[in-house]
Amino acid sequence: MRALSHPSPNHGARRAGQVPRLIVLHYTAMEGAAALARLCDPAAEVSAHYLIGEDGRLFALVPEDRRAWHAGAGAWGPWDDVNSVSLGVEIANPGDAPYAHRAMMTLASLLADLLARHRLPPSSVIGHSDCAPGRKSDPGPRFDWRGLARAGLSVWPEPEAEAEARAPAPAPDPGRFRADLAAFGYTAPVTDAALLAAFRLRFRPGAAGPLDAADMALAVALARRWPVDPGAARA
Ligand SMILES: [Zn+2]
């Protein structure tokens, strides 16, 4: 797919020779044109590797071997400098409306290309809210994670297909829930409430109330099927 070159000055070297291990998805929370200007403004000190407009146009802002400034404070798996181990993709969306079909089509093409070229598994595609729980909520509850997973471009737990679905539902246990989610990648040091909110934002949008058996079952499925690679940080 053809990307329009629109260089941003906002980038640096990846620390310790790191290479992309994750792809972090964001919404712009503003119109694509305004986001393009902001992501290229030296005074804003923010950027991403790619921006996808509402019309599906793809802009390349920062070279993939450079460290773009999109994730900020947070963690995923063994990594606490997410910018050094990730590629950032901004998608034009206000945050409270459906994503434009053309933008999602472009995102699918881009992710397929990035996953193949960087030899990354679908589980490496995460949201900003996954690595910065309690602080960020993008790409938000309107983002179609399930559709991406169906295309092999992310993951979606289906506990009903798992053997444990025939076992009694696990009782709500915040400690075990946290341990299972950490095995999948949620390692940012946040409160139980912030962790549950971030998890539900992606995997159970609309769910409310205290931790329940459905949350527990999904966390078990994530931990077992897609454990984050604990050795990757040393590579
Ligand atoms: Zn973001």
Side-chain angles (χ1 to χ4, degrees):
M1 97 163 347
R2 181 119 178 246
L4 302 163
S5 179
H6 198 286
S8 167
N10 301 335
H11 57 84
R14 293 183 183 275
R15 290 183 193 144
Q18 289 280 15
V19 297
R21 305 277 187 185
L22 303 169
I23 299 171
V24 181
L25 305 183
H26 307 258
Y27 58 52
T28 55
M30 63 179 75
E31 287 189 341
L36 185 61
R38 178 171 157 78
L39 293 167
C40 296
D41 177 359
E45 298 188 326
V46 293
S47 63
H49 294 89
Y50 294 100
L51 168 69
I52 298 171
E54 297 91 341
D55 58 4
R57 281 192 297 171
L58 175 66
F59 297 91
L61 279 55
V62 172
E64 292 178 9
D65 62 347
R66 300 288 288 174
R67 180 179 179 274
W69 305 339
H70 57 98
W76 187 257
W79 305 291
D80 57 10
D81 175 20
V82 174
N83 281 337
S84 276
V85 294
S86 67
L87 296 165
V89 180
E90 292 272 358
I91 309 152
N93 179 272
D96 57 359
Y99 279 74
H101 179 67
R102 284 183 175 181
M104 291 302 288
M105 295 294 285
T106 295
L107 176 65
S109 297
L110 175 65
L111 289 177
D113 174 52
L114 294 178
L115 291 176
R117 282 195 293 105
H118 294 277
R119 294 186 172 84
L120 297 171
S123 57
S124 65
V125 180
I126 66 171
H128 198 186
S129 56
D130 293 324
C131 63
R135 196 174 68 80
K136 293 291 179 180
S137 56
D138 57 318
R142 310 300 295 265
F143 188 78
D144 185 12
W145 285 107
R146 196 170 196 159
L148 272 194
R150 283 202 192 98
L153 303 172
S154 183
V155 298
W156 189 263
E158 300 283 1
E160 63 269 25
E162 303 281 327
E164 63 261 32
R166 291 187 292 275
D173 175 342
R176 183 171 170 207
F177 181 68
R178 181 177 288 270
D180 283 337
L181 288 191
F184 173 65
Y186 287 94
T187 51
V190 296
T191 64
D192 287 350
L195 181 65
L196 179 61
F199 162 83
R200 284 178 169 172
L201 188 59
R202 176 164 167 191
F203 294 111
R204 289 186 79 194
L211 180 69
D212 63 25
D215 299 309
M216 294 293 294
L218 291 172
V220 168
L222 290 171
R224 205 181 67 206
R225 295 183 61 186
W226 300 287
V228 70
D229 180 6
R234 297 190 298 272

